[in-house]
Amino acid sequence: MTDGTTVGRASRQPLVAGIAAALAVLTLVAVGVLWLTSDRSEGATGTGTPKDTSAEAGFARDMSVHHQQAVEMSFIVRDRTSDEEVRRLAFDIASTQATQAGMLQGWLDMWGLDRTSEDPPMTWMKNASADGTDGTDGMDGMDHGSMKGMAGGAAYKPHDGSLMPGMATNTQLDELRKAKGKAAEILYLKLMTAHHRGGVGMAEGAVELVKDPTERHLAQTMVQGQQSEIQLMADMLKARGASS
């Protein structure tokens, strides 16, 4: 007898591949347009190109990794529930964050910087705290939430695959892969709420520290979008008799 779950996954593979290809094309176009039309006068160096140790590069690398896990969790839950509301949210999150990760990686390529670094995650926040030339100028004007988020991000200790604030652990991802139906929906919504909260803190730090205007605008967009989804997920959890 054929396993219905296996057939379902196989039938979705061409669709997923098509979506990924379309997002890749859109990402390349968006990166090029944003880069060419943005004001380069506020670049991190005299040439307008961020340095390898800059907040621009660090945020691009770390948020790409952070986003990739959100995409992974979203595809997992789409295989664990038939609830259209949760599946639609998961698709929206996966599409948005895959596109944003592609933009961040595209900028690293254009800057001639590696997509990965040997430095530990969140080092760009630590550098900013220790080096007044890389973002601490003007910190007196930062709001309390941004400062708290930066402090928490810089002090975060990776564990069990959770590399940055809000990221799920390997154990939690395994639990999500095993959960079904309503249990999977609730676990996904809780994990994604925590993931978004961590992402918002990182993005708020980037808004304060990043000098590249286009990347700073993207970070602000992340803050606004994920805060809205946090409220939506709180409502969805409430409707399922749970809370974040």
Side-chain angles (χ1 to χ4, degrees):
M1 188 169 80
T2 303
D3 187 332
T5 301
T6 301
V7 172
R9 289 178 181 173
S11 66
R12 281 193 294 274
Q13 287 179 351
L15 174 61
V16 172
I19 292 171
L23 287 175
V25 172
L26 290 173
T27 296
L28 289 174
V29 173
V31 168
V33 171
L34 286 171
W35 181 261
L36 291 172
T37 60
S38 63
D39 178 4
R40 312 311 312 160
S41 63
E42 297 183 40
T45 70
T47 62
T49 302
K51 298 179 292 185
D52 190 64
T53 57
S54 67
E56 284 82 359
F59 175 69
R61 291 172 178 138
D62 284 352
M63 191 55 84
S64 292
V65 173
H66 205 273
H67 273 15
Q68 285 164 9
Q69 189 187 70
V71 174
E72 178 185 6
M73 289 196 295
S74 295
F75 276 114
I76 290 174
V77 79
R78 283 175 62 82
D79 280 334
R80 307 308 298 168
T81 181
S82 60
D83 183 270
E84 286 304 316
E85 184 182 30
V86 172
R87 286 170 58 84
R88 184 166 53 249
L89 173 66
F91 178 81
D92 289 345
I93 290 175
S95 300
T96 299
Q97 299 211 11
T99 299
Q100 291 175 344
M103 293 173 70
L104 294 167
Q105 292 172 358
W107 285 329
L108 288 168
D109 290 344
M110 282 203 244
W111 296 333
L113 303 176
D114 292 336
R115 293 188 177 189
T116 60
S117 172
E118 294 182 358
D119 292 333
M122 313 305 293
T123 298
W124 58 279
M125 283 190 172
K126 298 175 185 177
N127 287 345
S129 299
D131 181 1
T133 63
D134 193 14
T136 52
D137 291 341
M139 273 195 176
D140 290 342
M142 291 175 62
D143 62 82
H144 179 71
S146 296
M147 293 182 69
K148 183 177 179 181
M150 287 177 59
Y156 190 77
K157 294 182 179 180
H159 60 285
D160 190 22
S162 176
L163 303 178
M164 286 166 272
M167 289 187 70
T169 63
N170 291 329
T171 300
Q172 291 171 325
L173 291 177
D174 286 340
E175 291 174 356
L176 182 61
R177 292 186 182 99
K178 295 174 183 176
K180 295 181 180 180
K182 184 177 178 180
E185 296 162 20
I186 291 174
L187 181 55
Y188 170 77
L189 292 170
K190 287 184 174 183
L191 292 177
M192 191 58 74
T193 296
H195 198 276
H196 272 22
R197 286 173 177 162
V200 166
M202 292 170 61
E204 286 178 336
V207 170
E208 299 294 343
L209 300 175
V210 164
K211 298 176 184 178
D212 181 275
T214 309
E215 188 177 12
R216 189 169 61 239
H217 175 73
L218 177 61
Q220 184 61 56
T221 299
M222 292 177 187
V223 171
Q224 295 168 344
Q226 293 190 31
Q227 285 177 335
S228 177
E229 287 176 342
I230 287 172
Q231 182 56 57
L232 173 61
M233 290 188 287
D235 293 339
M236 293 171 70
L237 281 167
K238 185 177 180 180
R240 289 162 176 76
S243 64
S244 57

